[in-house]
Amino acid sequence: MTATDGMEARYRDGDTEQRIAVLEDLNRHAYDGALADDEREAGLGLVRDALRANDPRLVSAAMGAFAGRHLGDHDWRHGVMKLVFMEVPLTTVDRLVDRRDAELSRMAADLAEEREAAGRPVPDDLRSLLPPVGAAREEGR
Amino acid sequence: MRIFDPHIHMSSRTTDDYEAMYAAGVRALVEPSFWLGQPRTSVGSFVDYFDALTGWERFRASQFGIRHHCAVALNPKEANDARCREVLAELPRFLRRESVVAIGETGYDSMTAEEDEVLEAHLALGVEHRLPVIVHTPHRDKKYGTRRTLEVIAESGIEPGLVVLDHLNEVTIEMVKESGAWMGFSIYPDTKMDPHRMVALLQRYGTERVLVNSAADWGRSDPLLTAKTGAAMLDAGFDAADVDRVLWQNPVEFFAQSGRLDLTPLPGFALANAPETFSGNSVRRGGADATVPAVPEAAR
């Protein structure tokens, strides 16, 4: 019996709080080698499911250490941007500094352009994802 | 003011909304299929939802003098769940229903390979059934997602005039206008687009091929923002004919391509005001035919 035993059933049959608990279990075991390959695959399926939810607690739990270590770049970037939309502080994102890349900055720059065109403020977290000052804005496109 | 809301999720709204919409001039609408806030996990829940849109919700709207039509599709978020994807095989039988005037909303959420396949499948259904397609543009990577959507549309072979790209903004309007597709704008209390920004876009780009909707759903939204946009247009110097073009004639022209729009007044209800009766008179806006007959108990 492992720490994530039955996690898929617990997630699918659980309410939001129980789903968050399953995601937190995954986060706890992201680096300790306790997850077998099939558990990791199942965990990624649950993380992707949670990233489609509109409850910020679920999205936030899905962007913890497990996603930081195992989630592919495309889905991970969308997870970061989703938290920006939900106004959840990005401090919740595991390995943000290591994993942020030119494509994430490009997505952030496009969103900042939309916000500015709409006369809406650019939140600090979004600003923090923009390409470094001095870098050409076209870089990474 | 007569209003056709081309995108509103009435199954998540109350009868108070239907009454207020009728009072504001709404006489017809299209309810595209979407997710329920909570992801579905089986084909059966889609089938029941489509049945409700073409059955109960249509009846509910009719009790308040509003012609209800719908669009069916597998929405982008649920396109990513293999358990839901099987609903694509169920769509053709719904696309034959008289109350279904379009396919949608389809499009991108996270821009995954699964979403690509499902968008292509919906566009192919549009070609095959000769039905308009409502394409949602993504919130998160909108500019890139809209450009990619236009590429997929071009490759699909569907006529651009059969497609509306929805939830556009200042950054995405131009590329869609150039493509020949219709431009949809969802007017929200404080995010996607507001009435004054919409008026500025109409002043700059004109009223042709523009659809304005409330996209009201279970989130923070307002089913009267179509009417409020019409009022903002009048305040900005547009005339009643321009408002009628944007809020009535354009959606009628777009969805009439299905050959299935029914815009005759429901028994016991009046046509909305013709534009000239209130031209220049903003005070009467929506107030002249606001009486809503009592709702029979059977409707409850």
Side-chain angles (χ1 to χ4, degrees), chain A residues 45-61:
Chain A
L46 301 183
V47 161
R48 289 195 193 98
D49 186 86
L51 288 176
R52 290 196 289 276
N54 265 9
D55 184 326
R57 296 170 304 164
L58 269 171
V59 178
S60 179

Side-chain angles (χ1 to χ4, degrees), chain A residues 12 16 19 49 51-54 74-75 77-83 85 103 106-107 110-111 113-115 117-120 141, chain B residues 35 37-39 76-78 80-81 83 109-112 139-144 147-148 169-171 190-192 194 197 218:
Chain A
R12 301 283 182 206
T16 299
R19 291 181 178 199
D49 186 86
L51 288 176
R52 290 196 289 276
N54 265 9
H74 178 92
D75 292 336
R77 289 185 204 110
H78 273 267
V80 174
M81 294 305 290
K82 185 156 184 163
L83 289 170
F85 268 87
E103 177 63 3
R106 195 275 306 159
M107 291 167 78
D110 280 355
L111 178 59
E113 181 191 1
E114 285 181 54
R115 291 280 164 101
R120 298 176 61 199
R141 280 184 195 219
Chain B
W35 76 314
Q38 178 82 19
K77 269 184 212 265
E78 289 162 341
N80 290 299
D81 190 327
R83 295 170 299 178
D109 178 53
S110 295
M111 278 175 277
T112 61
H139 304 302
R140 286 191 292 284
D141 201 1
K142 189 179 282 291
K143 191 172 162 185
Y144 175 77
R147 199 178 296 124
R148 183 155 150 193
N169 62 24
E170 290 85 354
V171 172
D190 58 3
T191 52
K192 292 176 183 166
D194 67 36
R197 285 166 56 202
W218 28 247

Side-chain angles (χ1 to χ4, degrees), chain B:
Chain B
M1 191 184 298
R2 53 180 180 170
I3 297 168
F4 184 129
D5 193 332
H7 184 150
I8 183 164
H9 301 289
M10 290 311 298
S11 46
S12 50
R13 307 296 307 191
T14 65
T15 52
D16 285 359
D17 290 327
Y18 272 126
E19 285 182 350
M21 287 162 66
Y22 183 89
V26 178
R27 292 295 179 275
L29 59 83
V30 168
E31 174 158 7
S33 304
F34 78 149
W35 76 314
L36 300 178
Q38 178 82 19
R40 296 177 184 86
T41 59
S42 70
V43 172
S45 60
F46 281 93
V47 169
D48 289 343
Y49 173 62
F50 298 155
D51 262 334
L53 291 184
T54 54
W56 169 249
E57 198 57 46
R58 190 166 164 81
F59 171 72
R60 209 165 73 103
S62 74
Q63 300 304 298
F64 298 91
I66 296 177
R67 288 282 181 193
H68 182 287
H69 309 84
C70 74
V72 297
L74 167 60
N75 68 81
K77 269 184 212 265
E78 289 162 341
N80 290 299
D81 190 327
R83 295 170 299 178
C84 298
R85 214 141 45 233
E86 303 304 312
V87 76
L88 288 175
E90 304 289 333
L91 289 180
R93 66 190 173 95
F94 286 99
L95 296 178
R96 287 193 284 271
R97 292 192 182 181
E98 280 300 306
S99 54
V100 176
V101 297
I103 294 160
E105 23 183 334
T106 179
Y108 289 119
D109 178 53
S110 295
M111 278 175 277
T112 61
E114 290 85 354
E115 292 171 27
D116 271 328
E117 283 168 28
V118 171
L119 172 58
E120 285 166 17
H122 283 122
L123 292 168
L125 283 170
V127 173
E128 186 187 337
H129 292 260
R130 184 98 211 131
L131 282 173
V133 184
I134 301 169
V135 182
H136 159 106
T137 58
H139 304 302
R140 286 191 292 284
D141 201 1
K142 189 179 282 291
K143 191 172 162 185
Y144 175 77
T146 304
R147 199 178 296 124
R148 183 155 150 193
T149 302
L150 289 171
E151 288 165 8
V152 175
I153 290 168
E155 281 165 23
S156 76
I158 197 167
E159 275 170 52
L162 262 185
V163 181
V164 58
L165 274 79
D166 217 335
H167 319 313
L168 299 183
N169 62 24
E170 290 85 354
V171 172
T172 51
I173 181 171
E174 212 155 304
M175 61 176 115
V176 178
K177 189 177 171 73
E178 281 167 14
S179 78
W182 289 70
M183 294 156 274
F185 295 89
S186 299
I187 316 299
Y188 261 37
D190 58 3
T191 52
K192 292 176 183 166
M193 178 58 57
D194 67 36
H196 297 288
R197 285 166 56 202
M198 189 65 236
V199 166
L201 288 176
L202 289 164
Q203 284 168 330
R204 181 158 174 202
Y205 295 98
T207 57
E208 193 187 343
R209 281 189 284 122
V210 170
L211 302 182
V212 167
N213 62 68
S214 70
D217 57 16
W218 28 247
R220 192 163 172 260
S221 49
D222 177 355
L224 302 185
L225 277 169
T226 47
K228 289 170 188 168
T229 301
M233 284 178 72
L234 293 172
D235 289 344
F238 282 100
D239 63 23
D242 296 324
V243 174
D244 195 59
R245 167 116 199 230
V246 172
L247 296 184
W248 184 265
Q249 293 172 42
N250 280 356
V252 168
E253 187 185 331
F254 180 70
F255 290 110
Q257 296 181 95
S258 68
R260 293 176 184 164
L261 271 193
D262 179 1
L263 299 171
T264 54
L266 282 147
F269 293 90
L271 277 173
N273 288 344
E276 50 282 358
T277 59
F278 66 83
S279 184
N281 179 0
S282 62
V283 179
R284 283 187 64 216
R285 244 185 338 250
D289 58 350
T291 318
V292 180
V295 181
E297 280 302 311
R300 304 248 159 99

